Amino acid sequence: MIYEEKTIETIPVGPLGLIPLKSCSALGAKVDEWLVSWRKERESEHKSSIAFAGYQRDSYIIDAATPRFGSGEGKGTIETSVRGDDLYIMVDVCNYSLTYSLCGMTNHMSPDDHFQDLKRVIAAAAGKARRINVIMPFLYESRQHKRSNRESLDCALALQELTNMGVENIITFDAHDPRVQNAIPLRGFETVQPIYQFIKHLLKNEPDLQIDSDHMMVISPDEGGMSRAVYFANVLGLDMGMFYKRRDYTRIVDGRNPIVAHEFLGSSVEGKDVLIIDDMISSGESMQDVAKELKRRKARKVFICSTFGLFTNGLAKFDEYYENGFIDRILTTNLVYQTEELLSRPYYINVDMSKYIALIIDNLNHDDSLSELLNPTKRINKLLNQYRSK
């Protein structure tokens, strides 16, 4: 079914308002285009009623700003009325490209700065909006999700801060540990897996794949990502394997115990295409070691699928591994900031998530169920059947 032909069965919670912060402006503009297109085409006998006031617009983006004073302090402003609106605020806490002046010096924005700006915009709405929803693709402080010894629980505290400010729903993608939602049990929290989009873009760019257990395998680069890889393998009907990291717990380098070796558990990968699945590429060292080890074990092609491509140590090592044949393709989403340098790489596939986010926003605005959107099995099977028939 074409989405604009969707039958409207519920009235909107309120007029739709989209506030992409500066960190998320490009993705927000794409999401807005989808929403405008669908709602212009969608037919309903109720669209002229007062409950649908403001349903069709040329843009749903509400102008908001987070300017800074010379001291580095900031504030949030919203340029138009949001009274009674159903607001969706989008933020990319990983966008390090933005800067501000701090006592005459240029300072790059950190995740802490972006999170503060998000709270400023929520505060600027001043309780006038009908409902406030936050779309935070990379969940702020999601790697600090559990307490070991005497340390902070940053992610849980951040979620509680947002809900205490009146946020009703928090939408994130591939949370490092979904159990962090236990911190806010009475509020909406959805962690979305972009599996369908990964498969769609991989099949679009690789015409000669055979997707069955004899020719393909799913690999988890560590024990923490097992559940993600198991789900991916089950949906595709593939076998899976896992690497676990042997660490040197007597030393700490850059805040962590260094990895001594990657040990493999699973059946033979010889002659098979392998999909390495993880939630993020940070420095990328683990992915590089796993890819090299898989090629040593005579894997045919190595594809790396990661929701968030941070590439904190740059791309030089990935370029080297691509040239040496250890890596064939890298797929990451546009949910976090991407450099032009990354987008220009021949091995890189950009997985666009704007349509998926627009679908989630449209359904939430109508108070529709997200179950079908969050479970992509039917769409994946349809996609695989089309690919095989070609």
Side-chain angles (χ1 to χ4, degrees), residues 144 146-153:
Q144 189 53 30
K146 63 183 179 182
R147 173 174 283 156
S148 301
N149 216 334
R150 291 181 292 275
E151 59 186 23
S152 57
L153 275 169

Side-chain angles (χ1 to χ4, degrees), residues 5 18 36 70 80 92 133 178 279 355 380:
E5 295 174 359
L18 186 64
V36 169
T80 57
D92 172 14
N133 312 273
D279 59 339
K355 186 176 183 181
I380 290 171

Side-chain angles (χ1 to χ4, degrees), residues 9-294:
E9 296 177 348
T10 56
I11 64 172
V13 172
L16 176 59
L18 186 64
I19 303 182
L21 298 189
K22 195 174 180 183
S23 61
C24 218
S25 56
L27 181 60
K30 288 184 177 181
V31 170
D32 184 52
E33 286 175 14
W34 284 110
L35 292 168
V36 169
S37 169
W38 290 333
R39 293 194 170 192
K40 276 186 178 175
E41 297 295 326
R42 188 177 291 158
E43 294 299 329
S44 171
E45 59 187 15
H46 306 296
K47 273 169 45 174
S48 59
S49 69
I50 194 168
F52 280 77
Y55 191 74
Q56 289 184 341
R57 297 184 196 168
D58 292 332
S59 175
Y60 296 96
I61 292 179
I62 293 171
D63 290 330
T66 51
R68 297 267 173 169
F69 300 105
S71 61
E73 299 166 291
K75 66 176 180 179
T77 61
I78 296 176
E79 309 299 330
T80 57
S81 172
V82 294
R83 188 178 293 277
D85 283 1
D86 186 24
L87 291 184
Y88 294 83
I89 306 174
M90 299 176 63
V91 60
D92 172 14
V93 298
C94 294
N95 192 336
Y96 59 87
S97 70
L98 301 180
T99 60
Y100 60 91
S101 178
L102 176 61
C103 299
M105 295 178 289
T106 300
N107 204 30
H108 282 264
M109 289 186 72
S110 70
D112 294 342
D113 292 318
H114 289 300
F115 187 68
Q116 284 300 118
D117 280 352
L118 170 64
K119 291 195 292 182
R120 290 179 178 120
V121 171
I122 294 170
K128 305 296 192 299
R130 176 75 52 84
R131 186 174 70 174
I132 294 178
N133 312 273
V134 168
I135 296 177
M136 187 188 295
F138 185 96
L139 185 61
Y140 174 69
E141 289 289 356
S142 58
R143 285 190 281 186
Q144 189 53 30
H145 59 94
K146 63 183 179 182
R147 173 174 283 156
S148 301
N149 216 334
R150 291 181 292 275
E151 59 186 23
S152 57
L153 275 169
D154 297 57
C155 191
L157 282 171
L159 293 176
Q160 288 180 354
E161 269 191 279
L162 293 179
T163 56
N164 290 339
M165 293 183 77
V167 173
E168 288 289 328
N169 295 297
I170 297 171
I171 308 295
T172 189
F173 284 78
D174 213 347
H176 198 66
D177 187 345
R179 291 173 296 182
V180 76
Q181 66 187 288
N182 295 340
I184 50 167
L186 301 180
R187 290 290 186 270
F189 180 95
E190 300 291 350
T191 175
V192 185
Q193 292 282 352
I195 289 179
Y196 171 73
Q197 285 74 17
F198 277 137
I199 296 168
K200 180 180 175 182
H201 282 78
L202 180 63
L203 299 186
K204 192 175 175 183
N205 288 274
E206 291 287 329
D208 63 337
L209 299 179
Q210 289 181 271
I211 303 169
D212 57 53
S213 56
D214 293 327
H215 299 90
M216 189 174 278
M217 198 167 171
V218 175
I219 302 293
S220 173
D222 55 41
E223 60 276 19
M226 273 288 287
S227 58
R228 188 181 297 107
V230 167
Y231 180 54
F232 211 113
N234 286 344
V235 167
L236 294 176
L238 305 177
D239 293 333
M240 72 150 290
M242 183 197 85
F243 282 86
Y244 68 91
K245 300 167 184 171
R246 247 185 331 117
R247 293 182 180 272
D248 181 0
Y249 287 100
T250 62
R251 296 188 299 137
I252 294 178
V253 179
D254 294 332
R256 60 183 182 174
N257 302 106
I259 298 167
V260 177
H262 286 84
E263 305 290 351
F264 181 65
L265 298 174
S267 57
S268 172
V269 299
E270 186 172 349
K272 294 180 181 178
D273 298 322
V274 291
L275 300 171
I276 307 174
I277 309 298
D278 208 358
D279 59 339
M280 72 179 76
I281 298 173
S282 185
S283 64
E285 291 174 5
S286 293
M287 288 290 199
Q288 291 159 3
D289 291 345
V290 167
K292 192 172 184 178
E293 184 62 27
L294 287 168

